[in-house]
Amino acid sequence: MFLVSPSSLSINRMRASPIKSMAAVNRNSSSGVVTAAPPHRRNNTSPLEARISLIFALASQTTSLSHKLLTELAGETAKYVFPKRIFESRNLEEALMSVPDLETVKFKVLKRCDQYEIREVEPYFVAEVTMPSKYGFDFNGASQSFNTLAEYLFGKNTKKESMAMTTPVITRRTQSEGAEDQEKWRMSFVMPSKYGSDLPLPKDSSVTIKEVPRKTVAVVAFSGFVNDEDVKARESRLRAALKGDAEFNVKDGALVEVAQYNPPFTLPFTRRNEISLEVERKQE
């Protein structure tokens, strides 16, 4: 800091240029009246100061935008970090399971027993693709299918619209009529219910949109990571258990579906997966 004395200020005033003093007045030659010239208006903001102000304005705007993005990111992350439990637990394994706080398929439980649960599922729309291999849980094939559906969901569609993620991701077995060797798997994303049938069309021709009608299914929940051998064994056990059901039997032609509710980083014992078969009431 520099200190300036009053005396030095007086000396500086006395040393003012006479040219500047004369410029401060305007003599009217016709009337002889001397008037003070209007003060010269100068821009007190230098180019450097203007740039600094702009930088601060941009920084403030960026900070505000970053805060908004961080808030949105925190909100989305919380849906996974603080999951919800919307299913009634039948055992300890199910009690440890949790699912993200995302929109999911709506259903009503019709019957519950030790081995499975019977649900009436409301209609919903899906976007789906045929998986590239004959296995439903081959890592490369599953990743490729998931990415294709994610691209559609997040903007690769005719409206360039990003839609909200939902649960579960469904992998189901399909089969061409009379062609055992042409058995395929299809992966589906459940679409947000707010769109109904008015969904953006996919730009990728491999993605199809379809409505899943109301149906009744038998469901078994299990934790861990999914593989084809485990699915096959669980399907066999479910079919065997349903043979003893007094009210429902497996619908003719029903093929297995697997629902996965959690992202890959979820701990195995807290993951929720479900295997299901479509059933119908037995005729009396």
Side-chain angles (χ1 to χ4, degrees):
M1 179 181 289
F2 295 94
L3 299 178
V4 182
S5 65
S7 58
S8 64
L9 292 175
S10 300
I11 294 173
N12 288 336
R13 292 193 187 97
M14 292 175 64
R15 292 177 180 175
S17 170
I19 296 176
K20 292 182 179 180
S21 299
M22 292 175 65
V25 298
N26 176 32
R27 187 180 302 276
N28 189 319
S29 57
S30 60
S31 61
V33 179
V34 178
T35 59
H40 175 66
R41 293 185 179 181
R42 56 185 294 268
N43 187 356
N44 293 326
T45 304
S46 67
L48 176 60
E49 291 172 329
R51 292 191 186 96
I52 293 173
S53 297
L54 178 60
I55 291 172
F56 274 111
L58 291 174
S60 176
Q61 183 178 2
T62 303
T63 301
S64 176
L65 180 60
S66 299
H67 182 267
K68 180 181 178 181
L69 292 175
L70 286 173
T71 301
E72 292 178 354
L73 178 60
E76 288 299 314
T77 304
K79 294 177 180 179
Y80 297 93
V81 176
F82 304 104
K84 62 181 179 179
R85 287 178 169 80
I86 61 174
F87 301 93
E88 185 174 337
S89 302
R90 295 181 298 113
N91 49 47
L92 178 59
E93 181 184 16
E94 290 190 25
L96 295 174
M97 298 175 189
S98 59
V99 298
D101 189 15
L102 301 173
E103 182 182 359
T104 191
V105 175
K106 296 180 180 179
F107 63 86
K108 179 174 65 175
V109 176
L110 302 180
K111 178 181 178 179
R112 182 179 289 115
C113 63
D114 292 339
Q115 295 174 294
Y116 53 84
E117 182 175 275
I118 303 294
R119 300 175 185 168
E120 182 181 56
V121 182
E122 295 185 12
Y124 58 93
F125 283 86
V126 296
E128 65 176 13
V129 294
T130 299
M131 303 180 74
S133 72
K134 65 177 182 179
Y135 301 106
F137 302 95
D138 169 72
F139 178 78
N140 292 329
S143 297
Q144 180 181 326
S145 300
F146 186 94
N147 290 339
T148 299
L149 290 172
E151 287 177 349
Y152 162 71
L153 191 72
F154 299 135
K156 193 174 180 180
N157 53 64
T158 51
K159 294 183 180 180
K160 297 182 179 179
E161 185 171 353
S162 180
M163 294 172 277
M165 194 69 186
T166 62
T167 59
V169 174
I170 300 171
T171 308
R172 64 184 181 90
R173 186 160 51 214
T174 63
Q175 184 177 320
S176 301
E177 294 183 6
E180 184 67 27
D181 60 337
Q182 292 186 20
E183 184 177 275
K184 288 287 187 179
W185 289 82
R186 292 180 69 83
M187 179 180 286
S188 305
F189 278 12
V190 177
M191 293 291 95
S193 60
K194 70 175 185 179
Y195 292 95
S197 60
D198 189 26
L199 283 160
L201 297 177
K203 288 187 175 181
D204 190 330
S205 60
S206 68
V207 180
T208 57
I209 306 297
K210 63 172 289 186
E211 181 179 15
V212 178
R214 186 182 304 274
K215 60 182 178 177
T216 304
V217 294
V219 180
V220 176
F222 61 100
S223 59
F225 292 99
V226 185
N227 60 67
D228 287 271
E229 292 76 13
D230 190 31
V231 169
K232 186 176 181 179
R234 291 181 183 279
E235 179 188 357
S236 296
R237 291 198 294 270
L238 178 56
R239 287 182 182 274
L242 285 166
K243 288 181 180 179
D245 194 292
E247 299 178 67
F248 298 91
N249 56 254
V250 178
K251 192 172 182 178
D252 288 342
L255 296 174
V256 69
E257 284 191 357
V258 179
Q260 298 178 82
Y261 287 85
N262 306 91
F265 54 78
T266 308
L267 293 173
F269 63 89
T270 63
R271 299 178 65 84
R272 185 179 183 92
N273 312 301
E274 294 177 345
I275 187 171
S276 66
L277 289 167
E278 189 170 0
V279 298
E280 57 188 0
R281 287 189 181 273
K282 290 182 176 179
Q283 297 180 353
E284 297 182 356

